[in-house]
Structures are given as structure tokens and as C-alpha cells.
Amino acid sequence: MKHVRMPEDHVIVVFGANGDLARRKLLPALYHLAAEGLMPRSYAIIGNSRSEMTDEEFRAFARDAVDDFCRCTRSEDVWNDFVRRLSYVSCEFQPGNTDAVSDAIAKAEAALGGAPRRLFYLAVPPPAFGPITQGIGAAGLSERARVVYEKPYGAGVDSFRDLDQ
């Protein structure tokens, strides 16, 4: 029997959650991980973008994404568990405008209990990397956190160094 190490509990924040990358790749991949039993025992996924969308609209968006692009067949049991973990926050996250996402993270962490890890996935254009990264730091969200930059990291050595700081 193969031993699979379960990831620690997580709050996953997807910036650019209503974009093409999230629709075609990220949301289907997260669902596929859930279907394979490879997601943490306790987790929450918070979608964020500037577009107005309710939790229910985001869940419908995710369902369409999974139906259209997932490499596995959607199971109602797995889907029902997955979808209850999805929520959405509309705002342009950047320094000075972090409260909505910070509050959603605090609510998710309280529901999960303990001190879950944070994963910030930036499925946004590279010019948004800096403001979002600065917002994460300004909001005090960098503790227990990792950031995934989906696109090329910087436009050159100088911008790479700025983002790395």
C-alpha cells in the first residue's frame, strides 16, 4: 500500500478567480485533487477578483469549469464536499484595500480551527503581482503562507528583485 502524506490544513486564496486560467486549469485541478483524496483534511478556497460575484455565482462558475475542463468525472459526493468549501470576495486587493479578503480568511480560519497554512495563488496579470504581494504583507497575512505566481516572475532582474523583497 502506498503511503500518501496529507497536506496540512489550508486556506487557499485564488486571486483572479473568475479568469480564464482559474476556469480552465486551477479550479478543475483543485477539484481533481479533492477527488483523488489529495487535498488537506480541512481546507477552504476563497476566490477573489474585482468582478462582482456572489458565493453561489462563484460556485456555479466552478461547477461549469470542472464540467468543461476537469480530466476526471465529477462525482456528486465529491462535488458536494468541494463546493461547500468555496467562497468569493469581490475587491481589488492591494495595500489599503485588504479588509474584505482578510475578513474572509479570518472567518475561514476560525471555521477550520487551529492555525491553517495560507496559500495565495496569483492567477492575475504580472503587473498585479506587486500590489497583491504588498497587500498580503500590509495585511499581516504572510505568516504561515506561501505565494504562487502563475506567470513569469518579473519583467527583468530589477522587477524580480522588487517582487522578491
Side-chain angles (χ1 to χ4, degrees):
M1 178 182 233
K2 187 167 84 172
H3 175 72
V4 177
R5 183 172 169 234
M6 290 297 292
E8 297 175 59
D9 295 347
H10 268 76
V11 173
I12 302 166
V13 179
V14 179
F15 294 103
N18 70 336
D20 193 57
L21 176 64
R23 184 173 71 86
R24 290 179 176 270
K25 300 292 185 181
L26 187 54
L27 291 168
L30 289 169
Y31 173 80
H32 195 172
L33 288 171
E36 294 295 325
L38 297 173
M39 289 294 280
R41 193 172 335 275
S42 295
Y43 67 94
I45 300 171
I46 301 167
N48 169 257
S49 73
R50 296 175 297 187
S51 301
E52 291 292 327
M53 187 181 290
T54 66
D55 288 347
E56 288 308 313
E57 289 169 330
F58 180 60
R59 291 172 180 148
F61 176 84
R63 185 179 182 126
D64 290 344
V66 168
D67 287 346
D68 292 346
F69 298 104
C70 193
R71 293 184 180 186
C72 65
T73 304
R74 185 174 46 80
S75 151
E76 284 305 310
D77 289 340
V78 175
W79 175 256
N80 290 336
D81 181 61
F82 182 76
V83 74
R84 73 178 179 81
R85 300 168 187 273
L86 298 177
S87 64
Y88 183 85
V89 176
S90 174
C91 75
E92 186 169 355
F93 186 85
Q94 59 187 345
N97 193 32
T98 61
D99 289 348
V101 172
S102 295
D103 291 348
I105 291 169
K107 181 180 174 183
E109 289 179 345
L112 295 179
R117 307 268 313 165
R118 298 172 183 149
L119 177 66
F120 298 101
Y121 198 104
L122 280 66
V124 297
F129 290 174
I132 292 173
T133 304
Q134 290 168 348
I136 291 168
L141 297 172
S142 60
E143 185 178 329
R144 305 181 318 276
R146 296 286 186 260
V147 179
V148 176
Y149 297 93
E150 180 55 41
K151 304 216 173 35
Y153 192 69
V157 174
D158 291 338
S159 64
F160 169 84
R161 287 184 180 135
D162 288 343
L163 285 169
D164 196 45
Q165 287 293 13

